[in-house]
Amino acid sequence: MFATELRGLLTLGRYCSRMNINVRSDRMVENSLSDLGEMFYSALDLFEAGHFAEAEDACRMLTLAYPQAVEPMHLAGLVALKQGRFDIAAERMGRAAIADASNAEIQHDHARALKAAGKNRDAVGAFKRAIRLCPDSPALYCNLANTYRDLGDLDQARENYQIALNQAPDSADINANYAASLRDSGDLEGAEAACRHALSIREDMVMALVLLGQILLDQGRTVSASDPLMRALRLSPGHKTALTAYGEALFRLGQFVGALHCLRQVLALDPDAEGARRTLALLNLRTGQGSEAIASLEPLVRRYPDDPELLLMMGEGLSLSGRHNEAVERFGAAIGAGGGDDAVFRLAVELSEQTDAAMAHEVLQKTIDRKIRNGDDATLFRTARRLLFSPVPVDINAQNDEVVRDIVEDAILSDEENGTQTAPGRIDPMTLTRFPPVWRAALRPHGDEQLMAVGRYWEQLAADADIPVVRDAVSTQGRKVRLGIVSANMCNNGIGRWIAGFVSALDRDRFDITVVRPPLGEDDITSRIDVNADLVVRLPLDPKHSAGVIAGLEFDVLHYVDAQADAYTMLLASWRLAPIQVAGGGIAATTGLSNMDFHFVADDWEAAGGEGRYTEKLVRLPGLFVNGECPSVPEQSMRDLQRQWRIDEDRNSYLCPQPLDVLSADFDPLIAEILRLDETAELLLIAPERDTWDAAWGRRFAVNHGDVAGRMRFVNVRNRAEMLSLLGAVDVVLESPAWNDAMLGFDCLGLGVPLVTLPGKEARTRRSHTCYRQISVFDCVAYNSADYVETALTLATDKRRRSVIAQAIRTRSHVLFGQKESFVAYMDFLEQQTA
């Protein structure tokens, strides 16, 4: 690849001296030799001018006339070498090498020809003969080392490179070749050092730039790899290897349009380029282009019909294209080719999505039975079976949905069986994205312990040796901290609004901010977040690929705002993708993950002793840890708003605007008691996106509190403006004691709407209480369940008292908005950790 071959330099003096050795006194012979010299120089001129056919004819005439002359044979070999006729070149060079065994240059050119003809073992001998004649030539040692590399003898290659470097330590070519050898042997650090040394000698060396980019890609340093690859392409725009590597880098970074452009260029230059074709197929799969992926894969599958990875990729492409029966066949073939657990999971998922649940169940059950017979752990496959065949529950149990309950039980069972040891085996990450949100475990009794157990189990499920190894922490002294912010909720909801405030509060002179998000819809909040970031990275569909994207961005700190909110980001958080990983802001509860280093909370969110509720190291920040904006007060009067929402002004109206899945069974009796004691009251709830939740929650409430269930009504809220108008239309807002929304308190207090809250000891129950403490209004804060009911009734029935409290809230709520104290402390802390 980086071969630095000695040129066959033919000098006039050498030929003249050689011919003069045989000169006789005979005038005719002298004239003949003069003609030979002129013919040879003419052939040499043709060769140097690139007229190889004419030079070939001249050499043929010379060798016919003077069959023992070495120079014409040598030149004829060089001509054949230039024409790509390597076997003929080796044969001609061989005759010249025998005729003049003391000429190092001819021996070297013979070795070059043998190497070009694929006769590397013979080339080694020829190079050694040249070295015996000329032991002080570093280029000869370098070429011998290159040949050993081609033979796979890396030890001999490294030994000869070192000899060459001892003779010529400042040769850029030899350093680059040595770096390539070190890369082949897996010494990436040594390869990087040698390659950088080559570039310090010759900074425009394209091959060294490309090699450096490849080495950095091998190390997972995708962002760093992009720079030398771009420099190489500026110097050599059509360089195939550089285009392939740069396309791979862009693919890893999720920059699919640029990657597609590079890879198509490579395939236009070389349709058989396997690396580019494979990467292009993966790109098409990650962007959901099944037909394009199949077209890219077909030549590779024909060439390697038993490659399990290619069979899995082809199955995925067929599945995306709707060719499910063919996909099943490919996944089955992948299992037969040794595709392992991944192939089993893919086949089961494909069958389940075709509604062939019985066959999918049988595939997993057979694998479970086989693992049990072999003494292997089958817990992971049992979990996978549950994930595939547990639908959204029709009836929610007393605490939460049955899937979470069963997963928690699996987690606790796994802890008992395996202690702290990681369970053997793993589940394909795409299957794991079906996992229900783990934060619901916090709503169960002893929720923190449940979250910790689930977190440990998650890490077992997500264990994967293919995840990139993250570089060691690098000091940020003298530069900005590279901060990545990860969330799937960067849109118009409570978490998205918290992130928007968070990103805008960070100092971009101190922090380089990248927002990272899985595939999702975008809205005005998304745009606000993007404006305040230095880089936006939209992740591909495959979380395993996303892990490579994130690791390649080389963050100093990775902040998971709400890892527990969905399976995709929980998967990413389960892997170590940055030297420092932190959580906090969106979900005020532990992730339960050992790879999470710190968890940030506002000081007052957690009661004393809260550190024991986190697997991460708890970091308390002063202030609110929310950079909120004061909500816009609706222009309509309260009476107009009530008409809009069909609220009877003669009845007391209560609103619980939180998602139904945070309204735990413990909250049901409080709601029911309020409705029993306030006989004219109506309770409004937000209609969920999934009707099954509506039906399930309503069924549970109706079974236990049927006497008041008829005075509850679901309303549809499409955006934040409608939510603010609804808040302004009701008398009292009720908050679930089990879970506080980070932004609900800010909206209610900014509008002057009383929000009844019952703080506990955990951060997830104290965020609204912290807001009330900031404005020194405590009339809406309850201290036990009975007090919660009484506070809500008083606010709803005593309109004068409610008006006074609302006015006090409106007058003082301005102090809640635009607070930056927490974020200054946050930045100071991270700078100290990364210094």
Side-chain angles (χ1 to χ4, degrees):
M1 176 179 173
F2 288 95
T4 308
E5 312 289 4
L6 288 175
R7 302 289 180 186
L9 301 177
L10 306 176
T11 62
L12 174 62
R14 191 188 63 174
Y15 290 111
C16 287
S17 64
R18 179 171 295 281
M19 287 186 286
N20 286 338
I21 292 174
N22 299 315
V23 172
R24 292 179 294 171
S25 59
D26 189 289
R27 174 66 61 181
M28 183 179 296
V29 173
E30 289 180 359
N31 290 337
S32 176
L33 288 174
S34 176
D35 292 342
L36 169 62
E38 289 180 6
M39 291 172 64
F40 180 79
Y41 299 140
S42 175
L44 184 60
D45 289 340
L46 290 168
F47 173 77
E48 291 177 344
H51 302 306
F52 300 128
E54 293 87 342
E56 171 86 4
D57 292 338
C59 287
R60 185 179 299 110
M61 293 174 61
L62 281 165
T63 53
L64 287 172
Y66 301 93
Q68 300 303 316
V70 175
E71 288 75 15
M73 278 190 287
H74 185 196
L75 182 59
L78 291 173
V79 170
L81 196 61
K82 283 289 188 181
Q83 292 175 321
R85 297 182 296 155
F86 302 127
D87 288 328
I88 293 173
E91 186 270 331
R92 290 174 178 175
M93 295 285 196
R95 285 192 285 129
I98 293 170
D100 191 353
S102 63
N103 189 310
E105 184 179 334
I106 293 177
Q107 300 299 328
H108 176 253
D109 286 340
H110 181 214
R112 289 174 57 221
L114 288 167
K115 188 167 183 279
K119 301 174 181 178
N120 286 325
R121 286 293 174 195
D122 295 333
V124 166
F127 278 125
K128 287 182 176 180
R129 288 192 292 274
I131 288 172
R132 282 195 294 270
L133 295 168
C134 187
D136 297 327
S137 171
L140 282 174
Y141 286 103
C142 184
N143 288 334
L144 175 59
N146 288 336
T147 309
Y148 275 125
R149 266 186 63 212
D150 291 344
L151 288 168
D153 192 342
L154 298 179
D155 291 336
Q156 285 288 343
R158 189 160 51 250
E159 180 181 330
N160 282 279
Y161 282 129
Q162 288 168 348
I163 295 172
L165 286 171
N166 288 336
Q167 295 180 350
D170 293 328
S171 167
D173 288 320
I174 297 175
N175 274 284
N177 279 277
Y178 183 48
S181 175
L182 292 174
R183 179 191 177 217
D184 291 344
S185 62
D187 182 4
L188 297 181
E189 290 185 8
E192 181 183 352
C195 201
R196 290 192 186 279
H197 183 55
L199 289 169
S200 71
I201 299 166
R202 199 166 85 216
E203 63 180 11
D204 62 345
M205 187 178 183
V206 172
M207 290 302 183
L209 288 167
V210 176
L211 177 61
L212 179 58
Q214 292 175 314
I215 292 167
L216 295 171
L217 282 176
D218 292 343
Q219 294 174 322
R221 297 159 59 186
T222 312
V223 172
S224 298
S226 300
D227 178 61
L229 292 171
M230 284 191 292
R231 286 165 56 197
L233 287 170
R234 281 195 292 268
L235 292 167
S236 180
H239 196 287
K240 188 172 68 175
T241 308
L243 282 168
T244 302
Y246 190 50
E248 172 71 18
L250 292 173
F251 172 63
R252 292 189 191 182
L253 292 171
Q255 308 298 312
F256 295 140
V257 174
L260 185 64
H261 177 71
C262 287
L263 297 169
R264 283 178 173 170
Q265 278 187 272
V266 174
L267 292 173
L269 294 169
D270 180 7
D272 295 326
E274 292 183 5
R277 186 169 291 280
R278 188 180 289 255
T279 303
L280 181 60
L282 279 171
L283 187 155
N284 287 320
L285 291 176
R286 298 300 171 261
T287 54
Q289 307 298 314
S291 299
E292 290 82 352
I294 292 169
S296 299
L297 286 166
E298 282 176 338
L300 294 174
V301 174
R302 281 196 298 269
R303 197 171 306 162
Y304 307 106
D306 297 323
D307 186 321
E309 183 180 357
L310 290 175
L311 290 169
L312 283 171
M313 291 167 63
M314 181 62 85
E316 189 176 343
L318 291 165
S319 178
L320 287 171
S321 301
R323 296 159 63 179
H324 298 293
N325 290 333
E326 294 174 75
V328 168
E329 291 178 8
R330 295 289 179 160
F331 290 139
I335 294 173
D341 290 351
D342 277 352
V344 174
F345 285 128
R346 297 285 180 90
L347 177 59
V349 170
E350 187 66 26
L351 289 168
S352 68
E353 289 182 348
Q354 291 184 68
T355 66
D356 193 350
M359 181 62 74
H361 191 282
E362 182 180 346
V363 167
L364 288 177
Q365 188 60 54
K366 284 183 177 179
T367 305
I368 291 169
D369 294 341
R370 175 174 52 80
K371 285 184 173 289
I372 291 172
R373 284 196 304 271
N374 295 338
D376 297 331
D377 188 284
T379 307
L380 300 177
F381 275 85
R382 289 199 298 268
T383 300
R385 183 177 58 188
R386 179 175 293 119
L387 295 177
L388 289 175
F389 307 118
S390 293
V392 175
V394 175
D395 186 13
I396 298 178
N397 63 39
Q399 291 300 330
N400 217 296
D401 73 84
E402 59 196 31
V403 179
V404 172
R405 180 196 63 199
D406 292 341
I407 293 300
V408 169
E409 290 174 359
D410 275 352
I412 295 170
L413 177 63
S414 177
D415 271 358
E416 292 172 352
E417 291 179 348
N418 301 308
T420 59
Q421 299 297 314
T422 301
R426 58 189 172 87
I427 293 181
D428 170 55
M430 290 299 288
T431 302
L432 277 176
T433 58
R434 296 166 176 265
F435 202 111
V438 304
W439 65 267
R440 294 179 189 158
L443 302 177
R444 299 176 57 80
H446 310 292
D448 298 305
E449 290 84 353
Q450 304 280 23
L451 282 172
M452 293 177 188
V454 172
R456 287 190 294 270
Y457 193 56
W458 252 106
E459 290 180 329
Q460 296 173 12
L461 298 178
D464 193 321
D466 296 334
I467 298 304
V469 176
V470 175
R471 65 175 175 82
D472 293 334
V474 178
S475 174
T476 59
Q477 288 280 6
R479 66 175 177 87
K480 294 193 285 186
V481 177
R482 288 187 53 79
L483 172 66
I485 302 169
V486 185
S487 174
N489 282 298
M490 294 189 186
C491 50
N492 199 345
N493 56 36
I495 293 175
R497 287 165 51 215
W498 185 91
I499 295 171
F502 173 52
V503 175
S504 66
L506 298 178
D507 187 346
R508 286 168 68 178
D509 290 332
R510 299 170 62 184
F511 281 71
D512 186 278
I513 302 166
T514 300
V515 296
V516 182
R517 55 176 176 263
L520 62 112
E522 300 182 357
D523 54 32
D524 58 322
I525 292 295
T526 314
S527 301
R528 282 177 51 194
I529 294 170
D530 292 354
V531 164
N532 288 302
D534 295 285
L535 178 66
V536 176
V537 175
R538 298 169 179 84
L539 296 176
L541 297 171
D542 184 349
K544 190 172 172 182
H545 180 195
S546 297
V549 172
I550 295 172
L553 289 166
E554 299 179 28
F555 292 118
D556 299 306
V557 181
L558 202 52
H559 186 141
Y560 289 92
V561 174
D562 56 342
Q564 313 93 313
D566 70 287
Y568 193 106
T569 46
M570 188 71 176
L571 261 175
L572 298 177
S574 300
W575 298 317
R576 173 65 69 174
L577 303 178
I580 298 176
Q581 300 192 153
V582 304
I587 304 290
T590 184
T591 62
L593 300 173
S594 61
N595 280 326
M596 208 61 58
D597 303 304
F598 302 102
H599 196 115
F600 292 96
V601 296
D603 188 17
D604 189 47
W605 285 3
E606 273 292 342
E611 287 74 10
R613 288 188 279 272
Y614 293 81
T615 55
E616 312 90 348
K617 184 176 180 180
L618 191 64
V619 181
R620 296 175 180 269
L621 301 174
L624 289 167
F625 199 36
V626 178
N627 178 27
E629 291 185 352
C630 187
S632 301
V633 178
E635 296 179 357
Q636 304 100 307
S637 66
M638 185 173 183
R639 181 168 294 181
D640 290 337
L641 292 174
Q642 287 175 333
R643 290 198 191 99
Q644 176 184 333
W645 292 101
R646 297 186 295 109
I647 297 173
D648 188 342
E649 62 183 276
D650 295 327
R651 301 175 66 182
N652 295 325
S653 54
Y654 300 83
L655 169 67
C656 186
Q658 294 175 277
L660 295 178
D661 46 3
V662 305
L663 307 186
S664 65
D666 291 340
F667 191 34
D668 292 357
L670 304 186
I671 296 174
E673 188 66 12
I674 291 170
L675 293 176
R676 289 189 186 105
L677 295 174
D678 189 349
E679 296 180 355
T680 66
E682 180 183 43
L683 174 66
L684 277 66
L685 297 163
I686 306 300
E689 294 181 2
R690 296 186 298 178
D691 292 339
T692 48
W693 279 104
D694 183 347
W697 189 90
R699 186 177 295 112
R700 185 188 77 193
F701 195 91
V703 167
N704 296 305
H705 309 286
D707 57 318
V708 293
R711 284 192 281 133
M712 296 190 305
R713 176 162 62 94
F714 286 97
V715 294
N716 291 297
V717 177
R718 293 170 297 180
N719 50 51
R720 185 168 179 240
E722 289 190 354
M723 176 61 78
L724 293 177
S725 71
L726 179 59
L727 291 173
V730 299
D731 297 319
V732 179
V733 177
L734 304 176
E735 185 170 51
S736 169
W739 198 271
N740 289 182
D741 185 324
M743 304 305 295
L744 177 60
F746 282 76
D747 284 344
C748 289
L749 302 190
L751 295 173
V753 177
L755 170 67
V756 181
T757 187
L758 175 56
K761 294 180 179 180
E762 306 88 357
R764 55 184 173 271
T765 69
R766 295 175 60 84
R767 286 182 282 190
S768 297
H769 175 244
T770 300
C771 293
Y772 278 123
R773 287 194 63 175
Q774 287 273 320
I775 65 174
S776 299
V777 174
F778 300 99
D779 301 79
C780 303
V781 179
Y783 298 97
N784 53 52
S785 297
D787 191 31
Y788 185 96
V789 173
E790 183 178 347
T791 300
L793 289 170
T794 301
L795 289 168
T797 57
D798 189 340
K799 298 186 183 299
R800 182 176 178 281
R801 179 170 175 74
R802 183 174 73 239
S803 178
V804 170
I805 294 171
Q807 182 59 36
I809 292 172
R810 271 193 296 269
T811 302
R812 302 177 189 179
S813 63
H814 65 278
V815 304
L816 300 174
F817 303 102
Q819 286 197 17
K820 302 294 177 66
E821 182 184 11
S822 297
F823 302 101
V824 172
Y826 170 90
M827 291 186 285
D828 291 343
F829 179 85
L830 291 183
E831 284 182 332
Q832 291 170 6
Q833 293 297 317
T834 58

